[in-house]
Amino acid sequence: MDADRINILVVDDNAEDRQNLEAMILSSGSLPCLVTHADRLASCYKQIDKRGIDLVLLDLFLPESKGLDTLRRVRKKAPELPIIVLTRLDDKTTGIEAVREGAQDYLIKGDYDSKLLHHSIRYAIERKRVDIKLQNYAAELENSNEEYKRFAYVVSHDLRAPLRAMQGFSNTLLQRYSDKLDDIGQEYVRRIANAALRMDELIQDLLVYSRITTTDIQITRINLEECIDKALEQVGGEIKERQAHITIQRPLPQAVGNVSTLAQIIVNLVTNGIKFVAPEVKPDIRIWSEIFQGRVRLWVEDNGIGIEQENQERIFQVFERLHGTEAYPGTGIGLAIVNKGVQRLGGHVSVESEPGSGSRFWIELKK
Ligand code: ADP
């Protein structure tokens, strides 16, 4: 842009139309502009190369190119330039289609005055700035996603290898050299092996968390019953081992989501429901749904130890745990996976609970 003048390229094969447009553009004292003309694509390209054009006003019907193809070609030539397309009075759809294809605005020939034209010019320039910013953000996001994936790969391969070595050598030490180690020495070696095992579990869970954060998730209408059945199949062993009782209030409705992601979320909630019970208590879990303010709420209720009000938010963060691993084993990532998964499905998750009275987790999804 010339210090304070907008350089507008008017592309139209009709000389009279170009003159009229120029007169209208220059009629505003508050929008200082320069106008350059082009009567066909070739001269349009030349002007873009030659002058510091700030915006193109483009008639889509030129001798060498017709309709949206004209827009595509100009966009390819100058992707950074804002474009306002000029469509015909009898053509109601091309303008909208042009905006969908990347034009910043459209005007219907013979149906605008200078006020609308000036408004459109300002709008198109601002909109293009925002579009470019968004494109840059998207590219940055894509980049950091890639970095994140590379990081996860390094974590899984390179960090786990030394841990396996620690575990392997500790075990060898215990098996082959136990006669050379006294009880305290053996206990220390066992602790090293356990710490390595614990770190391996943490890394593996972090990788699951990173996967749910970065993988593409196809969102469709899904059947909640299918998700529950899939989840319960995965935790069948634990249910049997803990003699847990699970009640599902069928039928369950459809919702917007993804079967595998939702099954993974339910697995984590049910596993917690089975795990966080007082000693000697048989886990009793109830799953049901309701329509709440036009959305589907899926509830997972347990008869466990409950959660104090003040801790109910932070347990959804990575590594937040309320108990030692001796009492209740775990890594503190399960609910962070739930939280991230629900977020990626466009939903919400929360919990209602009181210590000693069980917990009721809910997931809210679009209908
Ligand atoms: P983990 O189960 O590995 O500890 P989570 O992220 O799944 O990790 O849960 C975080 C913490 O939230 C748990 O350590 C526990 O203190 C608490 N919690 C989660 N689910 C329940 C539940 N159903 N009942 C009581 N406390 C729970």
Side-chain angles (χ1 to χ4, degrees):
M1 213 175 293
D2 167 308
D4 38 20
R5 282 200 291 184
I6 304 167
N7 196 353
I8 297 174
L9 176 62
V10 176
V11 187
D12 196 322
D13 59 337
N14 183 317
E16 202 182 322
D17 284 357
R18 287 201 309 273
Q19 301 298 347
N20 287 341
L21 252 176
E22 174 168 7
M24 253 193 212
I25 292 169
L26 298 178
S27 71
S28 165
S30 63
L31 190 67
C33 298
L34 266 177
V35 177
T36 308
H37 289 227
D39 61 352
R40 50 189 59 229
L41 265 188
S43 49
C44 163
Y45 292 170
K46 220 180 257 171
Q47 297 293 4
I48 288 173
D49 285 337
K50 207 159 69 177
R51 302 173 195 270
I53 301 293
D54 301 311
L55 177 137
V56 181
L57 264 162
L58 182 66
D59 179 10
L60 293 181
F61 288 85
L62 297 175
E64 334 88 296
S65 162
K66 304 270 173 281
L68 291 173
D69 198 40
T70 311
L71 171 68
R72 286 181 203 125
R73 290 163 80 169
V74 176
R75 264 174 56 76
K76 196 164 171 210
K77 167 75 186 160
E80 76 293 347
L81 274 186
I83 299 173
I84 301 171
V85 301
L86 301 162
T87 63
R88 291 179 176 167
L89 198 54
D90 57 358
D91 180 0
K92 293 210 164 55
T93 54
T94 306
I96 301 280
E97 281 170 18
V99 169
R100 283 197 191 121
E101 286 228 11
Q104 276 57 55
D105 203 359
Y106 70 97
L107 290 168
I108 300 167
K109 275 190 164 183
D111 199 27
Y112 58 86
D113 56 13
S114 57
K115 207 166 148 197
L116 183 61
L117 175 63
H118 291 134
H119 167 83
S120 178
I121 291 170
R122 283 186 195 279
Y123 171 77
I125 290 172
E126 281 317 309
R127 191 178 154 171
K128 186 69 191 181
R129 278 194 193 129
V130 173
D131 286 352
I132 289 174
K133 250 192 202 165
L134 283 178
Q135 269 171 19
N136 290 343
Y137 284 143
E140 269 173 37
L141 205 65
E142 180 77 13
N143 239 339
S144 58
N145 240 350
E146 278 309 310
E147 273 171 27
Y148 199 39
K149 281 182 193 164
R150 268 198 299 277
F151 172 73
Y153 180 84
V154 169
V155 166
S156 64
H157 286 79
D158 297 6
L159 285 191
R160 289 185 68 201
L163 282 178
R164 274 195 293 271
M166 280 165 70
Q167 282 170 295
F169 284 116
S170 307
N171 288 335
T172 313
L173 208 55
L174 283 176
Q175 280 159 16
R176 293 213 206 135
Y177 298 89
S178 56
D179 52 336
K180 296 199 169 62
L181 288 168
D182 63 10
D183 287 352
I184 295 178
Q186 289 188 24
E187 174 58 18
Y188 286 169
V189 177
R190 260 191 291 276
R191 284 194 194 185
I192 292 171
N194 283 341
L197 184 69
R198 169 98 183 132
M199 190 153 170
D200 198 30
E201 283 168 5
L202 288 170
I203 288 175
Q204 285 190 54
D205 278 6
L206 262 183
L207 285 172
V208 175
Y209 180 74
S210 117
R211 220 170 289 133
I212 203 160
T213 307
T214 52
T215 46
D216 290 335
I217 297 179
Q218 296 287 332
I219 304 218
T220 53
R221 260 176 89 76
I222 53 163
N223 189 337
L224 289 186
E225 303 225 0
E226 194 189 328
C227 302
I228 304 278
D229 292 340
K230 196 171 169 162
L232 293 185
E233 213 180 284
Q234 287 177 43
V235 285
E238 271 165 276
I239 293 174
K240 214 165 150 195
E241 189 186 318
R242 300 293 309 264
Q243 296 181 317
H245 187 249
I246 315 267
T247 316
I248 304 161
Q249 219 160 12
R250 297 180 196 264
L252 295 169
Q254 294 210 323
V256 174
N258 172 285
V259 174
S260 303
T261 308
L262 200 56
Q264 192 178 5
I265 289 165
I266 295 161
V267 163
N268 286 353
L269 292 179
V270 171
T271 312
N272 280 351
I274 295 175
K275 181 165 60 171
F276 293 104
V277 287
E280 315 303 325
V281 170
K282 274 196 188 157
D284 192 358
I285 293 174
R286 215 161 66 85
I287 301 175
W288 82 98
S289 72
E290 62 174 357
I291 302 297
F292 183 80
Q293 295 180 342
R295 292 165 74 98
V296 177
R297 261 196 189 187
L298 182 71
W299 291 81
V300 179
E301 178 175 0
D302 63 49
N303 62 334
I305 53 177
I307 304 157
E308 280 169 349
Q309 178 82 36
E310 72 229 45
N311 292 323
Q312 288 174 13
E313 239 183 86
R314 74 176 173 101
I315 51 172
F316 290 97
Q317 305 300 318
V318 174
F319 293 144
E320 286 290 351
R321 306 199 74 234
L322 309 176
H323 309 92
T325 42
E326 293 80 36
Y328 297 104
T331 55
I333 297 178
L335 286 181
I337 290 171
V338 168
N339 195 27
K340 183 56 75 181
V342 174
Q343 239 179 45
R344 296 221 49 208
L345 299 181
H348 300 283
V349 57
S350 191
V351 61
E352 293 176 1
S353 181
E354 265 176 53
S357 306
S359 306
R360 291 162 298 284
F361 283 86
W362 57 257
I363 301 161
E364 206 174 87
L365 297 169
K366 284 188 209 127
K367 247 200 317 183

